[in-house]
Amino acid sequence: MSERDDGRVGTVSPADALEQLRRRLLELSESAPPAHSESALAREIRALRGSIVGLIGRPESCRSCAIDDGSGTGLFSGGRCCRQRIDELLTDAELAILLAAGRDATTLNGPCIEEAMCPFRSSTGCSLGPGDRPSPCVAFICDLLEAELRDRGDLDEIRSACLQLEELVVRFTALRAMKPFVEELKQLL
């Protein structure tokens, strides 16, 4: 891990992180274009992510947990969880889901505000559409959010949807991992 001038360890600037993500997405699109079955599953994942974001809504806990915590990131919508390293959240599987759902490197954009840490975090929240957000971002429920969702009576429904999302991502990852073997089998037959 390297230390930046601002003292944060192991991070790159949001602009650099976005450029790295674009390169990874481009490399992925050139090396392994999605099969029809992957695209169908990716669209299902994308729709479920959007549903989960809609169910969670705009909870107070997500707007307030990072305010005045001394990091400077409290100026931006989203809590402490929105300060995670995007390169760790947008794994190759998550990028493959974006690709299979129709996104490409040229459509992956964000405001890249240095103090926001994540290249997609803006003063009004995440600049990625709900369906394009990494699954960990969509499904993460901290203790504060859990309490708020429980009080609203939504926790069980949202947890169920998050579990379904996790299962779909595992299926997508398995389907993608089997792809070379399926191609090899096709050549043998």
Side-chain angles (χ1 to χ4, degrees), residues 111-168:
C112 295
I113 302 167
E114 186 66 26
E115 297 79 12
M117 294 177 78
C118 175
F120 304 109
R121 191 176 185 191
S122 73
S123 60
T124 57
C126 187
S127 64
L128 289 173
D132 292 334
R133 295 174 188 168
S135 299
C137 295
V138 171
F140 180 73
I141 299 175
C142 70
D143 294 340
L144 289 172
L145 179 57
E146 180 178 338
E148 185 173 343
L149 297 175
R150 184 180 300 110
D151 290 347
R152 280 186 1 200
D154 296 335
L155 183 60
D156 290 341
E157 180 181 9
I158 292 169
R159 279 229 166 115
S160 176
C162 290
L163 182 58
Q164 183 182 1
L165 176 61
E166 184 179 330
E167 291 168 356
L168 289 176

Side-chain angles (χ1 to χ4, degrees), residues 10-26:
T11 59
V12 296
S13 75
D16 289 343
L18 181 59
E19 188 55 37
Q20 290 172 6
L21 289 171
R22 285 181 181 142
R23 274 196 307 272
R24 285 175 52 211
L25 190 58
L26 183 60

Side-chain angles (χ1 to χ4, degrees), residues 35 178-189:
M178 291 184 335
K179 189 175 184 175
F181 303 109
V182 170
E183 293 301 318
E184 188 175 324
L185 255 167
K186 285 179 183 177
Q187 291 178 0
L188 293 173
L189 298 176

Side-chain angles (χ1 to χ4, degrees), residues 25 49 90 93-104 108 131-132:
L25 190 58
R49 286 176 179 162
L90 273 172
E94 291 286 335
L95 286 173
I97 291 167
L98 280 175
L99 179 65
R103 293 298 298 259
D104 64 40
L108 197 59
D132 292 334

Side-chain angles (χ1 to χ4, degrees), residues 2-71:
S2 61
E3 187 169 337
R4 293 181 5 164
D5 293 338
D6 61 5
R8 288 184 276 170
V9 176
T11 59
V12 296
S13 75
D16 289 343
L18 181 59
E19 188 55 37
Q20 290 172 6
L21 289 171
R22 285 181 181 142
R23 274 196 307 272
R24 285 175 52 211
L25 190 58
L26 183 60
E27 288 168 6
L28 191 60
S29 69
E30 292 171 349
S31 67
H36 176 72
S37 55
E38 290 173 298
S39 295
L41 191 52
R43 286 190 301 274
E44 190 176 345
I45 290 168
R46 193 171 190 273
L48 183 57
R49 286 176 179 162
S51 295
I52 292 169
V53 170
L55 286 169
I56 292 173
R58 297 189 54 83
E60 185 59 37
S61 57
C62 293
R63 292 192 299 258
S64 61
C65 80
I67 293 176
D68 297 328
D69 70 353
S71 68

